[in-house]
Amino acid sequence: MAERFISERNLKFMLYEVFDVEALTRYPYYQEHDREIFDLVLTTALRMGKDLLQPALQEMDKNPPQFVDGQVKVHPMVRPFMKQCGEGGWIGAGAPFELGGQQFPLMISAAFRFILAAANYSASVYPLLTSGAAHLITSFGTREMIRTYVPKMFAGEWQGTMALTEPQAGSSLSDITTLAVPTDQGYYRMHGQKIFISAGAHDGVENVIHLLLARIKGAPPGVKGISLFVVPNKRMQEGGGLIPNDVNVSGVYHKLGYRGSPITQLSLGERDDCRGYLVGEPHRGLSYMFQMMNEARIDVGLGAAAIASAAYYAALEYARDRIQGRRLSAKDPTTPPVPIIAHPDVKRMLLFQRAVVEGSLSLILQCAQYADRMRVTDGEEKEDLHLLLDLLTPAAKTYPSEMGILSVSQGLQCLGGYGYCDEFPLEQFYRDARIHPIHEGTTGIQGLDLLGRKVIMQEGRALVLFCKEMEKTIRSGEEFAVLDPYAQRLKQALEKLKTITSHLVRLGEQKGAECFLADATLYLELFGIIAVAWQWLVQAVSVQRAFKEDLSDGERNFYQGKWYACRFFFHYELPKIEGLSRRLLESNGLTVEMKEAFFGD
Amino acid sequence: MNIVVCLKQVPDTETQIKIGPDNKSIVTDDIKWVINPYDEFGVEEALQLKEKFGGEVTVVGMGPKRVTESIRTALAMGADKGILITDDALEGSDSLATAKALAAVLKDLEYDLIFTGQRGVDDDMGVVGPALAELLGIPNLSLIVKVEAAEDGKSVKVNRPVEGETLVIESSLPALITAQKGLNEPRYASLPGIMKAKKKPLEEKTLGDLGLDAAQFGEGARKLKILEMTPPPERAAGKIVEGETPQEKAAELAKLLHEEAKVF
């Protein structure tokens, strides 16, 4: 079993050299922090990953949660791990001091999560979901609600979830039917079904708190009638103690991968005794939930990159050890064979993985940096950062998710037949990675979100800001002779993005929404590749700066590796936008016109 | 109960070690440094005793400035204060010199117990703990896997594994304990602990501050000279035991174990 799952050096490069997380500590909100603290966080996360999470990786896959007598039994490590996350203060790390948090920058929390997710994605999800749900309560809940739920959630004693999906309403949230009937007691009586609820019930915690979408009786149809509720599996009794809240688990699903965490089906109010507590205003639930969803979407991207990172290091270790074949130039069959890492095609596969993993991580940390800066700025600057974050979220979720699968696949390929067998972790990573284009909004939904909402909102202002950010990086790249060709390539790609966007908007005006959005997923793919190319140029600028310093051998190798991975992206990945743009610039609505009847035979 | 933990910073066992051009030292560039794992058991045990009996845990380290990181880690785990002995003249000191420097710090501290690791995982000498106890004139309890302090905090009962048996030793305090694997599972630093660590006192002392003569430290004063460092021999290729039946294979294996490996 490969021991390494991430590169600490690379994380530090990103945090300190590329995104300058230390700069945040100049603002009063972050002034309690410094690099020494951040380093200690990373060291602790690495230890937790190595000692606590990685040893359970395969076990959790082979022994998935069991549904026994109405209870969901999870791996025994979940309870001590949640306790550790709670006692260690990791669940509430990002919350303000007054709420019991430590005001950690999101960049550092993201690095922490990346490490845990690379060690064992399934396990990392339990505290992660709890953080997100607690954040939703602290943002929109009443004081009373915060007091009741958040300390227990931060302590890792209670699990948090997001409960959106219903059997008949997955991607289309406007069709949810879970009903909330008002009472004069300050709570609502809840009735309905929720499915695919991650960690919706399990024996690793005392209680589970759902942040759940439902309709108040008589609410208007569509998204304007959706409200947000807190629905605990067990509710507080007057005078203390917990009693069941009529949230019934009707089953757990058996999954392809990501098996260490249960996804449950929940039935609410079978005995008409399920109480829900309204969060914020009625009918505004979806906009609240989007806060959690946007964070969760970026976390999905992070999880995808993390699994791909673990797969990369497993493949790298194998490629260095496995002796097979001779150099393509070697004519004599009696010469000794070489480790497969000597073969250019194996190096191509490894470089591809690095380009995806580190490019994805960079894009995610860029988003985290925007979010951190939002906290300490105001007015137009804050609004601009918000728009950038909104625009980039679909790409930060989708690029790592879709490309992560291909990246893990190439890692598996490096191992040949062994990669396909469960003696090596690659086959598990391959299965684990497959969830990411599906949960927290499928790739299709992300495409619609990007092209149908984010790109055109406020007359395209977010896209204008994004172009400005890229132009800034292009100018930095132009200052280095070796980077200039890549800056020019990015400039051309940016022009292409602008042309395609205007073309599609025009097409929409002429032929309607169906034609406009029919290839939104392709547009997202193109957008993602360009965004990651931008991030590789951002990294390359830091690499070239470092080359000017006096470097040890190990450090020089690190930056050389980065520089090769960067160029790999520009030479092997960025050209993929050519094919995409060719299609996107066509105007025939082929998929719109294709009829259901033609699919039969 | 006041406890002092002596802490050494060593290369992470995952770091690939390269021998330097002088063949007598390792290349220290690109090394990831960590707390010596045996010392970490000492930190954990000290914290558990403090939780039971109160008092203070002081962590003492020696070496270049980078050792601060390891001391801070121990402070983040819950130790109260740190002292770093740092002086260019210490570079290249041997274990006895290290014990002397530590003893100089300790003579000014109030302590009931001292923990060191049973050895450093880098040099594997196992000298500093016993030498320090000798210099301080206190009992040395080595290779300990269990510590029980008396309710009054005046004595300890400790376990040391010996040849599959357990030796139970009782000692008055102050005493020095060298920690062995199995003593405990060191805790993870908590986030509030990490935040508090940087506000905890961490004092630096030079040889001059300790009233020590620089000539007794460093490379020149070594009583133990390193003549040469060589990498371990490369592992020879394994052997596959041939045979038609399991019986034949077993017989062949027994023969090899007897004649080649000479294990019986």
Side-chain angles (χ1 to χ4, degrees), chain A residues 21-22 24-34 37-38 41 88-110 113 135 154 368 371-373 375-376, chain B residues 191-192 194-195 198-199:
Chain A
V21 63
E22 284 175 276
L24 289 175
T25 62
R26 290 197 294 265
Y27 295 97
Y29 186 82
Y30 296 115
Q31 68 184 2
E32 296 295 314
H33 300 281
D34 59 26
I37 288 179
F38 298 152
V41 169
W90 304 107
I91 297 175
F97 291 133
E98 63 268 22
L99 291 172
Q102 299 293 341
Q103 297 192 180
F104 260 79
L106 194 60
M107 280 189 269
I108 297 297
S109 301
R113 291 168 183 177
H135 189 195
F154 280 177
D372 285 333
R373 283 163 55 197
R375 217 180 233 293
V376 291
Chain B
L191 209 40
I194 289 171
M195 298 291 284
K198 79 166 185 176
K199 289 181 182 144

Side-chain angles (χ1 to χ4, degrees), chain A residues 68-359:
Chain A
V68 187
D69 302 332
Q71 300 288 318
V72 181
K73 296 199 178 306
V74 291
H75 191 278
M77 71 78 71
V78 174
R79 185 172 282 268
F81 173 56
M82 277 297 274
K83 192 161 170 259
Q84 185 65 52
C85 287
E87 285 173 358
W90 304 107
I91 297 175
F97 291 133
E98 63 268 22
L99 291 172
Q102 299 293 341
Q103 297 192 180
F104 260 79
L106 194 60
M107 280 189 269
I108 297 297
S109 301
F112 180 83
R113 291 168 183 177
F114 181 72
I115 294 170
L116 298 195
N120 183 337
Y121 179 70
S122 289
S124 76
V125 165
Y126 294 90
L128 184 68
L129 280 169
T130 307
S131 292
H135 189 195
L136 204 46
I137 299 177
T138 58
S139 303
F140 306 109
T142 59
R143 268 208 199 146
E144 172 65 22
M145 238 175 223
I146 295 171
R147 219 175 20 243
T148 308
Y149 299 104
V150 173
K152 293 278 190 193
M153 293 167 86
F154 280 177
E157 292 170 27
W158 292 1
Q159 171 75 49
T161 80
M162 51 197 290
L164 286 74
T165 306
E166 297 178 3
Q168 80 297 345
S171 290
S172 178
L173 282 174
S174 61
D175 295 324
I176 66 163
T177 55
T178 294
L179 192 66
V181 182
T183 67
D184 55 8
Q185 305 290 312
Y187 60 82
Y188 290 74
R189 282 189 195 282
M190 313 298 290
H191 294 273
Q193 298 282 327
K194 291 284 172 186
I195 59 164
F196 300 154
I197 308 308
S198 286
H202 65 90
D203 62 350
V205 286
E206 297 309 318
N207 197 4
V208 179
I209 311 302
H210 306 285
L211 276 293
L212 182 143
L213 293 182
R215 282 178 194 287
I216 297 172
K217 196 176 178 188
V223 292
K224 293 203 168 85
I226 296 176
S227 304
L228 178 64
F229 293 86
V230 167
V231 181
N233 276 2
K234 293 178 196 156
R235 65 176 184 247
M236 299 288 267
Q237 214 175 185
E238 267 175 48
L242 292 170
I243 54 164
N245 189 36
D246 198 12
V247 177
N248 309 285
V249 186
S250 32
V252 293
Y253 289 87
H254 300 282
K255 299 180 286 181
L256 174 70
Y258 171 36
R259 288 181 168 173
S261 153
I263 47 168
T264 54
Q265 174 154 7
L266 304 174
S267 169
L268 313 176
E270 288 177 357
R271 294 183 300 281
D272 195 26
D273 186 32
C274 177
R275 294 182 186 178
Y277 307 89
L278 181 70
V279 180
E281 304 281 319
H283 315 318
R284 299 206 44 207
L286 202 59
S287 66
Y288 302 148
M289 189 55 105
F290 260 101
Q291 176 192 291
M292 184 170 173
M293 289 237 277
N294 281 334
E295 288 169 21
R297 284 174 174 177
I298 291 173
D299 276 330
V300 166
L302 191 67
I307 293 173
S309 166
Y312 167 69
Y313 285 104
L316 176 64
E317 186 182 290
Y318 185 86
R320 281 175 165 158
D321 288 348
R322 172 71 168 170
I323 311 282
Q324 195 82 176
R326 288 159 189 83
R327 285 184 188 277
L328 297 172
S329 54
K331 301 267 190 278
D332 179 1
T334 62
T335 54
V338 294
I340 60 170
I341 198 167
H343 304 309
D345 192 54
V346 174
K347 284 190 269 192
R348 177 192 59 76
M349 291 193 280
L350 292 169
L351 273 168
F352 171 72
Q353 293 172 66
R354 266 192 87 157
V356 170
V357 171
E358 294 170 20

